[in-house]
Amino acid sequence: MDFRPLNDTERRQLIAALRGNADSNQAILMDRRNTSFIGSTDEVTEDEVINAIKSVPCHY
Amino acid sequence: MGLLDSEAGRRRLLTVELPVIEQYNKDRDPEYRIVVQKVGTSLVLKYRLKPAHNVYQVETRLLSSYPTVPPETRVITALLHCPHLLEGQMLCLWRQGSSRITSRWDPSRFTCIFAVQAAWRWLACYEVWHSTGEWPLPEAK
């Protein structure tokens, strides 16, 4: 795979979303069409649930 | 409870897992939808995730003992060796291989889509790690 890296802004936004997810239970939103990252939110509407990644109690 | 060969397993499949997969696939571009295949006594969910610019082919396997035993997820797309990646490109998600007591998988609360979302989050971390060399989340969160 030809890996295309995040630019600085994208990386900062993604790190902030991941940490907000882990530390503050913010949900990460993925695009309903292609699963790409589109932001994070404190409140998830019913329509967004399937595309909202809540804090996952994972090992990593 | 066997997922495919017991009444309780089939009920779980028909009333919980398959409806939530249908909901996930709704409005999804065809190449990003989950495809379900029966492999032996397991169900394998095949799908693509694209947390940033790169597309990853992923498989989540629901073993016969699912949901008591957590799903196993591995990335088919070749990855660099990185933290939290097990043999066979299996993702370290639920302390696989540990006891039920220490497992973070909760079959009463989670569905297979939760595993897909966990894989997305893992891949988002991988994207960051690939650029910075640092995993953006702490251990055992």
Side-chain angles (χ1 to χ4, degrees), chain A residues 3-4 6 10-11 18-19 21-22 30-37 50-53 56-60, chain B residues 27-29 32 49-54 56 92-93 104 117 120-121 127 130 132 136-138 140-141:
Chain A
F3 188 88
R4 183 181 160 199
L6 298 158
E10 291 168 337
R11 187 168 58 250
L18 288 165
R19 292 189 176 154
N21 182 254
M30 60 179 184
D31 186 286
R32 67 171 63 239
R33 290 173 50 248
N34 67 6
T35 79
S36 60
F37 170 65
I50 202 76
N51 293 299
I53 298 165
V56 187
C58 296
H59 177 43
Y60 55 83
Chain B
D27 298 329
R28 192 85 54 198
D29 286 350
Y32 289 95
L49 294 174
K50 184 179 178 244
H53 301 298
N54 306 291
Y56 301 89
C92 183
L93 293 178
R104 290 160 186 268
Q117 294 178 333
W120 188 101
R121 198 169 88 150
E127 291 266 347
H130 197 287
T132 66
L137 292 180
K141 177 63 187 176

Side-chain angles (χ1 to χ4, degrees), chain B residues 1-136:
Chain B
M1 175 176 92
L3 186 63
L4 299 173
D5 60 9
S6 75
E7 190 173 334
R10 285 193 292 269
R11 190 181 312 121
R12 165 92 183 200
L13 201 57
L14 291 172
T15 62
V16 176
E17 305 296 344
L18 294 180
V20 81
I21 291 172
E22 283 182 7
Q23 192 183 349
Y24 178 92
N25 283 344
K26 186 183 173 195
D27 298 329
R28 192 85 54 198
D29 286 350
E31 61 267 38
Y32 289 95
R33 290 178 191 157
I34 294 171
V35 174
V36 181
Q37 290 184 347
K38 182 175 179 290
V39 178
T41 59
S42 302
L43 281 186
V44 179
L45 280 53
K46 299 186 175 189
Y47 52 98
R48 290 186 176 91
L49 294 174
K50 184 179 178 244
H53 301 298
N54 306 291
V55 179
Y56 301 89
Q57 182 73 44
V58 186
E59 285 186 3
T60 292
R61 184 174 292 259
L62 311 182
L63 302 173
S64 153
S65 45
Y66 176 88
T68 305
V69 170
E72 295 177 352
T73 298
R74 70 188 182 104
V75 180
I76 306 303
T77 305
L79 301 175
L80 297 180
H81 183 66
C82 67
H84 313 293
L85 186 64
L86 307 175
E87 191 176 344
Q89 296 207 147
M90 193 87 74
L91 305 186
C92 183
L93 293 178
W94 322 106
R95 287 183 183 270
Q96 287 159 356
S98 60
S99 72
R100 282 180 62 188
I101 293 171
T102 58
S103 172
R104 290 160 186 268
W105 170 258
D106 182 347
S108 69
R109 292 171 52 217
F110 302 156
T111 71
C112 61
I113 295 301
F114 205 73
V116 172
Q117 294 178 333
W120 188 101
R121 198 169 88 150
W122 191 101
L123 287 167
C125 290
Y126 176 81
E127 291 266 347
V128 173
W129 172 86
H130 197 287
S131 299
T132 66
E134 291 184 13
W135 201 259

Side-chain angles (χ1 to χ4, degrees), chain A residues 9-27:
Chain A
T9 303
E10 291 168 337
R11 187 168 58 250
R12 276 197 299 271
Q13 289 173 339
L14 188 55
I15 290 173
L18 288 165
R19 292 189 176 154
N21 182 254
D23 298 336
S24 312
N25 287 325
Q26 283 188 322

